[in-house]
Amino acid sequence: MPPYLIASDLDSTLLDAEHRVAALTRETLAQLVARGHTLALASGRHHLDIAAIRRQLELPAWIISSNGACVFDTDDRVVSERPVPPALVEALVELPRPAAVRLNLYTRERWLIDAEAPELLPLHAMTGFTYQVDELRDLRQEAVSKVLYIGEPALLAPLERTLRERYGEALHITYSAANSLEVMQRGVDKGSALAQTLAALAMPASRALAFGDNFNDIEMLTLAGNAFVVANAHPEVIARLPRAERIGAHHEAAVAHTLRRFFAL
């Protein structure tokens, strides 16, 4: 069998309900890497957050972070970096938002947030990567890969409408979860990052497997020759990807079971 690229979302896809890598998943990925296949961890998370998960896997893997804004090879060389333009970052920071909505920015080295949000910490407990509360001023020298609004869906919906009306031509706007409204530079998504990774590896899309669960995975799942959505995926995502195979849930190590079947492990 020729080498394949295996690209997977992390939260609610590759990781279990405790945001950890199951033993079967780790063992399966190790076997596939040993056979010459390439792994890519594709997430809305910060690249340092993903790198910590990669260290725990103890496997070489490409990193697609901030929904495709940053791409790193297995040696952490920057393959691509497409930040949000500073003027737009400033506009997004100044955009009125409900007091209960937390504004987050991912820079090259930091996760900045406008106020304490301890409810977010369990998601990153396994990596130790955490936020820094910041006034979010004087950001023009920062390379901001992603702007993230976290809050109740009812609070995010009008904010999303405003963002699309004012900046829909300049920004890519999506959700990674019902409470996570994500904003990147126009043209930045996991699909475009997957295409860059395939090009660097000189592989066709037909030799890519992709796994996901939410709206920020749609472009990646559309591009990959072999697309899989977990059973716990958003229903609208499943409906928009009729070609994708529906597999088990993330807490059942469905990605590992699917890989074992596909590669006859």
Side-chain angles (χ1 to χ4, degrees):
M1 180 178 285
Y4 277 74
L5 173 62
I6 302 160
S8 182
D9 172 53
L10 294 177
D11 298 292
S12 298
T13 302
L14 188 72
L15 304 182
D16 64 18
E18 284 72 46
H19 306 288
R20 297 183 180 278
V21 181
L24 179 64
T25 301
R26 184 180 289 106
E27 176 187 342
T28 300
L29 295 177
Q31 290 181 34
L32 292 171
V33 169
R35 290 188 179 190
H37 302 295
T38 300
L39 176 62
L41 305 177
S43 174
R45 290 183 182 233
H46 193 283
H47 72 92
L48 295 177
D49 209 8
I50 303 172
I53 295 172
R54 184 180 62 183
R55 285 194 296 274
Q56 294 175 23
L57 283 172
E58 298 182 318
L59 294 171
W62 285 62
I63 289 176
I64 295 172
S65 65
S66 297
N67 297 314
C70 303
V71 180
F72 300 83
D73 68 12
T74 56
D75 295 315
D76 284 331
R77 289 186 292 256
V78 178
V79 175
S80 175
E81 184 180 27
R82 293 181 287 172
V84 180
L88 285 174
V89 172
E90 184 175 341
L92 294 174
V93 170
E94 296 299 324
L95 187 71
R97 58 188 181 276
V101 171
R102 295 279 60 76
L103 176 61
N104 304 255
L105 274 65
Y106 283 5
T107 72
R108 282 197 181 98
E109 303 297 330
R110 298 186 295 165
W111 165 16
L112 305 178
I113 193 169
D114 62 349
E116 290 287 350
E119 68 276 10
L120 302 180
L121 299 179
L123 181 68
H124 306 272
M126 72 171 290
T127 68
F129 186 71
T130 191
Y131 58 70
Q132 299 176 35
V133 178
D134 192 90
E135 293 183 352
L136 304 180
R137 298 175 181 171
D138 301 321
L139 296 167
R140 285 193 166 271
Q141 302 305 314
E142 299 276 7
V144 175
S145 60
K146 183 179 85 169
V147 176
L148 168 64
Y149 299 92
I150 297 178
E152 292 299 318
L155 298 178
L156 294 181
L159 187 57
E160 178 195 2
R161 287 194 295 270
T162 300
L163 287 170
R164 293 192 185 280
E165 290 169 0
R166 296 186 186 181
Y167 307 111
E169 296 299 316
L171 297 169
H172 177 62
I173 302 163
T174 188
Y175 283 90
S176 62
N179 67 343
S180 299
L181 178 60
E182 316 236 353
V183 183
M184 287 71 58
Q185 167 70 316
R186 185 73 176 173
V188 168
D189 56 62
K190 291 185 186 180
S192 62
L194 180 64
Q196 290 177 306
T197 305
L198 286 166
L201 296 169
M203 280 188 193
S206 60
R207 294 220 308 272
L209 283 77
F211 298 85
D213 76 296
N214 223 299
F215 292 98
N216 62 329
D217 298 313
I218 287 177
E219 293 85 359
M220 176 175 72
L221 293 167
T222 300
L223 175 64
N226 307 274
F228 305 90
V229 290
V230 288
N232 52 280
H234 192 289
E236 188 177 334
V237 173
I238 294 173
R240 288 172 60 176
L241 295 164
R243 183 179 62 84
E245 179 181 340
R246 190 171 180 181
I247 61 175
H250 73 114
H251 63 272
E252 301 168 331
V255 172
H257 287 296
T258 302
L259 290 171
R260 298 188 78 84
R261 171 171 54 85
F262 188 95
F263 291 101
L265 295 183

